[in-house]
Amino acid sequence: MVSEWSWRQSPRATPSYVQKIFCPFRMKLTGFVAVAEVNMSFVEYSDHIQDGDTAIIYLGHDSMMPVKVQHGAQTQTRYGAIRHSTDLIGKPYGSKVTCSKGGWVHVLHPTPELWTVTLPHRTQILYTTDIAMITMMLELRPGSIVCESGTGSGSLSHAILRTIAPTGHLHTVEFHQQRAEMAAQEFKEHRVDHLVTVRNQDVCKDGFGVVGVADAVFLDIPSPWEAVKHAKAAMKKQGGRVCSFSPCIEQVQRTCEALADQAFEEISTLEVLLRVHDVRTASLPLPDFGSDPTETPEKTAADSAPKQTNVTIKTTTPPREIPGHTGYLTFATKPRT
């Protein structure tokens, strides 16, 4: 989606009719070639920071923050203030910006992965490791139609939108009215609202608001078994995939029973575990197999000098105990009807 044009030509050589034609597109006179500048979006990349963008301020690998770029605004960091008008707007994404105290930060283009680690938490969220498994097992691709409940903080929603763009659509349902309104506002600010419909309703009672259109359905609610029949109704006659996230095995058991009752097939559950391996340096002895019986005595004597007996390698050790898990992912397939 093109929303801005840059007309690279000398200002004095620019005819008036060209200015009139390109004025609605906020023309920039900088050279000889007409270049389309795409606005920042979570599904499209923009080269330069513009007013109204959501940018990610990178202070370190474990310290990032989202910022809504606005003319005249400032953002305070531990390295000093960032002035949006002079330090951000017009600068390329990825720029190194010096703050008022002399420290510096990088300004990154937003992605679903960066949003997951910086978003304001309204609920518990799914993280990238879980999201990667969900998008793969649901077989999402550009053009897919997806139903989701509940929306929550929108972590998974942004990843789904990036995957199904530019022609897919997400129907997301949130029971809590304020959370639904805030999610809809974020989708608009992130310029992905044309790809998503947000509904404030109880999916267990009222369903997803659509019938026979979804390629995939995702459930992240306290009682997913109560929404299985609505998930089936929302899916296409050609079939599709469903996924349910649950923290407790009892929820998984009831959901699997409901999926079987609704004639879903290929029901399987994965336990999502985080294994942090300990990387260390190890010194291992080289084995001594003795002398080669085929070698001559002269060569054997020449090679009798002391040799290296150890070798240093990098190795990893898995944890002996895993304290807990993020949850269970249950997948199933609706057969063609």
Side-chain angles (χ1 to χ4, degrees), residues 54-303:
T54 298
I56 305 297
I57 305 299
Y58 180 90
L59 296 95
H61 72 279
D62 58 349
S63 180
M64 289 177 277
M65 58 188 295
V67 168
K68 184 176 180 179
V69 180
Q70 295 177 307
H71 273 293
Q74 292 187 9
T75 297
Q76 296 292 334
T77 73
R78 62 172 178 259
Y79 302 123
I82 301 173
R83 298 173 178 83
H84 294 196
S85 298
T86 57
D87 297 335
L88 298 182
I89 296 177
K91 298 291 181 64
Y93 275 105
S95 295
K96 182 178 178 179
V97 174
T98 302
C99 304
S100 61
K101 293 182 180 179
W104 52 267
V105 299
H106 283 99
V107 185
L108 306 181
H109 194 285
T111 65
E113 290 78 15
L114 291 176
W115 184 245
T116 291
V117 297
T118 59
L119 59 78
H121 284 235
R122 299 184 287 271
T123 59
Q124 290 186 347
I125 68 170
L126 290 171
Y127 288 91
T128 301
T129 48
D130 302 337
I131 292 172
M133 180 63 69
I134 292 168
T135 54
M136 180 185 71
M137 295 294 287
L138 287 182
E139 302 174 2
L140 302 185
R141 59 190 181 276
S144 295
I145 308 299
V146 184
C147 290
E148 175 197 27
S149 183
T151 312
S153 302
S155 175
L156 176 63
S157 305
H158 282 79
I160 291 176
L161 291 172
R162 195 260 308 275
T163 305
I164 66 176
T167 56
H169 200 83
L170 172 65
H171 298 273
T172 184
V173 177
E174 174 56 52
F175 174 79
H176 192 277
Q177 181 179 354
Q178 186 178 9
R179 288 201 294 263
E181 293 172 352
M182 294 180 70
Q185 180 62 30
E186 283 179 350
F187 293 140
K188 184 176 181 180
E189 292 177 355
H190 299 165
R191 301 186 178 103
V192 293
D193 52 315
H194 61 291
L195 297 171
V196 58
T197 300
V198 182
R199 292 181 174 87
N200 172 220
Q201 60 191 45
D202 185 352
V203 70
C204 296
K205 295 180 179 179
D206 305 320
F208 290 94
V210 293
V211 176
V213 301
D215 298 292
V217 175
F218 177 77
L219 300 172
D220 184 7
I221 54 178
S223 304
W225 56 89
E226 296 181 2
V228 168
K229 62 180 180 180
H230 297 296
K232 183 179 181 181
M235 299 175 76
K236 293 179 178 178
K237 291 184 178 180
Q238 294 86 345
R241 295 279 286 167
V242 63
C243 174
S244 172
F245 176 86
S246 299
C248 302
I249 193 64
E250 291 80 10
Q251 293 172 312
V252 173
Q253 291 172 331
R254 296 191 64 176
T255 302
C256 289
E257 292 173 357
L259 289 168
D261 291 341
Q262 292 294 326
F264 279 84
E265 301 175 348
E266 300 175 349
I267 303 171
S268 62
T269 298
L270 305 177
E271 185 177 14
V272 183
L273 296 171
L274 181 62
R275 296 179 182 268
V276 181
H277 285 244
D278 179 30
V279 180
R280 62 181 181 177
T281 301
S283 180
L284 299 178
L286 290 174
D288 183 5
F289 296 106
S291 60
D292 188 348
T294 63
E295 293 181 350
T296 62
E298 293 81 5
K299 188 174 182 180
T300 303
D303 294 341

